[in-house]
Amino acid sequence: MESTIMFWVVAFVSLVLLMRKKRIGQRRVPPWTLGIPIIGQTLELLKAMRANTGEERLQQRARKYGLISKMNLFGKKTVFLTGQAYNKFIFSSDDQTLSNKQPTSVRWPLGDRNLFKMSSDDHRRMRGAMLSFLQPEALKQYVGKMDHEIRLHLTNHWHDNHVVSVMPLMKTLTFNMICTLLFGIERRVRRETLEHLFQQVIDGLYSIPINLPLTRFNRGIRARSEAGAIIRTLLREKREKLERGEDEHNLMTSLLSMCDDTGSPFLSDQEIEDNCALTMIASHDTTSTLLTFLVKLISKHRNVYEVLLKEHEEIVRGKKGASDPLTWEDLGKMKYTWRIAMEALRMYPPVFIGFRTAARDIEMEGYVIPKGWQVFWGLCMTQLDGSIYPDPHKFNPSRFEDQAAMPPHTFIAFGGGSRICLGYEFARMETLAMIHFLVTRFTWKLYLEENTVSRDPMSVFKQGLPIHSL
């Protein structure tokens, strides 16, 4: 009797151990190493980015360890994914699978109520509120204001027979455009202060999250706090104008005006502040980087420039005079211009990596991405895949002549799915309008043979991309 009981006890224990072993095996995390605690591979990635070899290092990693591997970035356990199939997974996942929430132990410089960190109903509510202003139908009325802003910028900063530094000027243009059209901030000290503060915030985003004095992360947090105080003052001023019946047409006023069915504010002041800050950051460096690369690429490819010039000269011929502003219909005619821009974005995406967080355990390719781990993917790698884009390092705008024929999830410069870039249309309009005035008013040539690029975290021309404006 005792031997029978012992047999069943041993059998039961063995079965439990076997099932536990099988379960552990099934929960095997992706291969490779987390590296040094906290630091992990962060310094390695940052060093490669600043040497402009980030794409190459990620490609080498994928060849060596596969399309899925583990690492440690910015103090967090991370799984690196790359490839078309993983792009589809990332952009089709809901917030119960991949969220943008960050660990509460890390204080990120963007604020706690921005779209990047929101999920589920909060994300849909906030995104819908911002889209009501940023969708094409709403933006049509702002083409004239963009036209005016660009003309003013060119008058103040671009002159014939001068050497100009393109990247700083493009940053100035895009920030002024944001301040004028989206926030109604006048050209005074406050605008200059915000531009300086938000550059510090951007510098702190991709840094080791150690909040100690003199670190980039700490400077980013302090700059975000100072910028927040200015934004709150702007909100108070604009609310007072609304109460007086002075209705301004900009994003900030639009968000302040929204009410729910009961007449209560649709958004909290914190939500408006954090998402205004996010918009300033997201639309500042991204579009300015694209415009800078376009100036370089157009100057190096004469055949592209000639076709481009013809497109814009045709638009000019349709105007009564040089002072006639661009219209929405004019932007719609700039099809070749936008193909050039998309090819530039394919080769040199301003943001070439992205992060999400596993909201639950995720089974994938025989591995498990544990809940709470960071998911890190390389946007750039699919866009430089030779099996998708033949001769991927060749600048060839004709790739985008038939965009419907492109394989899905292979061009992801603006993200995808429910989190596709809200500012896509605004960036498109701004890019098309600026290129129109550049090619119809100026010719230029590169001032330097070599123009060194670094990522910190956006692409930066170390010399600013000087050109000789003719």
Side-chain angles (χ1 to χ4, degrees), residues 373-427:
W373 279 41
Q374 189 167 249
V375 176
F376 163 60
W377 76 96
L379 289 78
C380 57
M381 296 179 63
T382 311
Q383 297 179 179
L384 293 174
D385 187 335
S387 66
I388 299 170
Y389 298 99
D391 201 358
H393 295 284
K394 179 181 179 181
F395 181 65
N396 179 15
S398 65
R399 299 180 200 273
F400 294 94
E401 288 179 355
D402 184 6
Q403 296 177 34
M406 292 175 58
H409 311 294
T410 57
F411 180 79
I412 52 175
F414 291 98
S418 64
R419 293 183 182 269
I420 193 168
C421 177
L422 274 172
Y424 169 86
E425 191 60 41
F426 188 88

Side-chain angles (χ1 to χ4, degrees), residues 129-180:
M130 297 186 73
L131 265 179
S132 66
F133 183 88
L134 292 171
Q135 62 187 345
E137 286 301 316
L139 288 174
K140 284 182 180 180
Q141 60 184 306
Y142 294 98
V143 179
K145 288 186 177 181
M146 279 192 174
D147 179 289
H148 174 76
E149 194 69 33
I150 292 171
R151 289 174 189 260
L152 183 62
H153 173 81
L154 293 174
T155 299
N156 290 339
H157 300 289
W158 295 69
H159 307 284
D160 291 340
N161 299 314
H162 279 69
V163 175
V164 297
S165 187
V166 176
M167 178 156 266
L169 289 183
M170 291 304 186
K171 286 178 179 285
T172 298
L173 170 67
T174 54
F175 197 77
N176 282 336
M177 194 79 77
I178 297 163
C179 289
T180 299

Side-chain angles (χ1 to χ4, degrees), residues 62-240:
R63 286 194 295 268
K64 188 172 183 179
Y65 308 122
L67 300 181
I68 176 170
S69 61
K70 70 182 177 187
M71 57 198 309
N72 181 344
L73 287 178
F74 306 108
K76 195 167 182 205
K77 295 176 180 178
T78 301
V79 170
F80 172 59
L81 303 175
T82 186
Q84 182 182 2
Y86 290 130
N87 292 341
K88 180 180 180 181
F89 160 72
I90 288 163
F91 295 130
S92 63
S93 294
D94 58 24
D95 291 315
Q96 281 67 50
T97 302
L98 290 177
S99 76
N100 280 1
K101 291 184 177 179
Q102 301 295 337
T104 55
S105 59
V106 177
R107 183 184 174 191
W108 294 93
L110 289 176
D112 292 330
R113 297 297 295 166
N114 74 78
L115 267 174
F116 279 1
K117 295 177 69 173
M118 286 180 167
S119 60
S120 303
D121 291 343
D122 278 347
H123 178 266
R124 285 188 286 273
R125 175 174 56 86
M126 190 72 235
R127 185 178 177 87
M130 297 186 73
L131 265 179
S132 66
F133 183 88
L134 292 171
Q135 62 187 345
E137 286 301 316
L139 288 174
K140 284 182 180 180
Q141 60 184 306
Y142 294 98
V143 179
K145 288 186 177 181
M146 279 192 174
D147 179 289
H148 174 76
E149 194 69 33
I150 292 171
R151 289 174 189 260
L152 183 62
H153 173 81
L154 293 174
T155 299
N156 290 339
H157 300 289
W158 295 69
H159 307 284
D160 291 340
N161 299 314
H162 279 69
V163 175
V164 297
S165 187
V166 176
M167 178 156 266
L169 289 183
M170 291 304 186
K171 286 178 179 285
T172 298
L173 170 67
T174 54
F175 197 77
N176 282 336
M177 194 79 77
I178 297 163
C179 289
T180 299
L181 273 71
L182 299 187
F183 302 106
I185 305 173
E186 296 178 356
R187 277 182 170 80
R188 293 179 182 172
V189 174
R190 185 156 59 181
R191 185 184 286 199
E192 295 173 2
T193 302
L194 277 173
E195 184 175 12
H196 173 70
L197 290 172
F198 277 117
Q199 189 56 57
Q200 289 185 308
V201 175
I202 291 169
D203 291 343
L205 288 178
Y206 288 96
S207 61
I208 297 175
I210 297 177
N211 190 10
L212 294 175
L214 305 181
T215 63
R216 289 177 57 156
F217 188 72
N218 177 263
R219 286 196 297 271
I221 289 175
R222 288 190 288 108
R224 173 62 182 84
S225 178
E226 292 179 42
I230 296 175
I231 293 173
R232 289 192 294 276
T233 300
L234 284 166
L235 288 174
R236 184 172 62 253
E237 292 171 358
K238 293 186 183 303
R239 183 176 280 117
E240 290 171 355

Side-chain angles (χ1 to χ4, degrees), residues 165-341:
S165 187
V166 176
M167 178 156 266
L169 289 183
M170 291 304 186
K171 286 178 179 285
T172 298
L173 170 67
T174 54
F175 197 77
N176 282 336
M177 194 79 77
I178 297 163
C179 289
T180 299
L181 273 71
L182 299 187
F183 302 106
I185 305 173
E186 296 178 356
R187 277 182 170 80
R188 293 179 182 172
V189 174
R190 185 156 59 181
R191 185 184 286 199
E192 295 173 2
T193 302
L194 277 173
E195 184 175 12
H196 173 70
L197 290 172
F198 277 117
Q199 189 56 57
Q200 289 185 308
V201 175
I202 291 169
D203 291 343
L205 288 178
Y206 288 96
S207 61
I208 297 175
I210 297 177
N211 190 10
L212 294 175
L214 305 181
T215 63
R216 289 177 57 156
F217 188 72
N218 177 263
R219 286 196 297 271
I221 289 175
R222 288 190 288 108
R224 173 62 182 84
S225 178
E226 292 179 42
I230 296 175
I231 293 173
R232 289 192 294 276
T233 300
L234 284 166
L235 288 174
R236 184 172 62 253
E237 292 171 358
K238 293 186 183 303
R239 183 176 280 117
E240 290 171 355
K241 286 184 177 181
L242 285 171
E243 291 171 353
R244 294 195 299 267
E246 302 175 23
D247 186 16
E248 295 180 345
H249 295 286
N250 55 62
L251 176 63
M252 188 176 283
T253 303
S254 174
L255 297 178
L256 278 170
S257 303
M258 292 181 180
C259 296
D260 61 19
D261 294 338
T262 66
S264 301
F266 191 65
L267 303 169
S268 69
D269 280 9
Q270 189 65 56
E271 288 172 336
I272 298 175
E273 175 192 330
D274 287 357
N275 286 283
C276 285
L278 175 64
T279 303
M280 286 185 179
I281 292 169
S283 55
H284 179 209
D285 273 24
T286 50
T287 308
S288 62
T289 299
L290 169 59
L291 285 166
T292 304
F293 271 105
L294 284 174
V295 169
K296 177 185 176 182
L297 291 166
I298 291 167
S299 68
K300 293 186 69 174
H301 297 84
R302 185 70 188 180
N303 59 325
V304 169
Y305 168 76
E306 289 172 354
V307 179
L308 178 69
L309 182 60
K310 287 180 181 179
E311 180 171 84
H312 289 276
E313 285 179 337
E314 184 66 28
I315 293 170
V316 171
R317 281 192 290 271
K319 299 291 183 184
K320 294 180 180 178
S323 61
D324 277 9
L326 287 171
T327 65
W328 179 258
E329 290 70 28
D330 292 331
L331 298 183
K333 297 173 184 176
M334 301 180 190
K335 293 181 171 55
Y336 185 71
T337 309
W338 190 239
R339 288 203 291 270
I340 294 173

Side-chain angles (χ1 to χ4, degrees), residues 24-43:
I24 292 172
Q26 290 174 339
R27 289 179 52 82
R28 188 164 57 100
V29 297
W32 202 229
T33 177
L34 297 174
I36 304 170
I38 299 179
I39 295 175
Q41 289 82 16
T42 304
L43 295 179

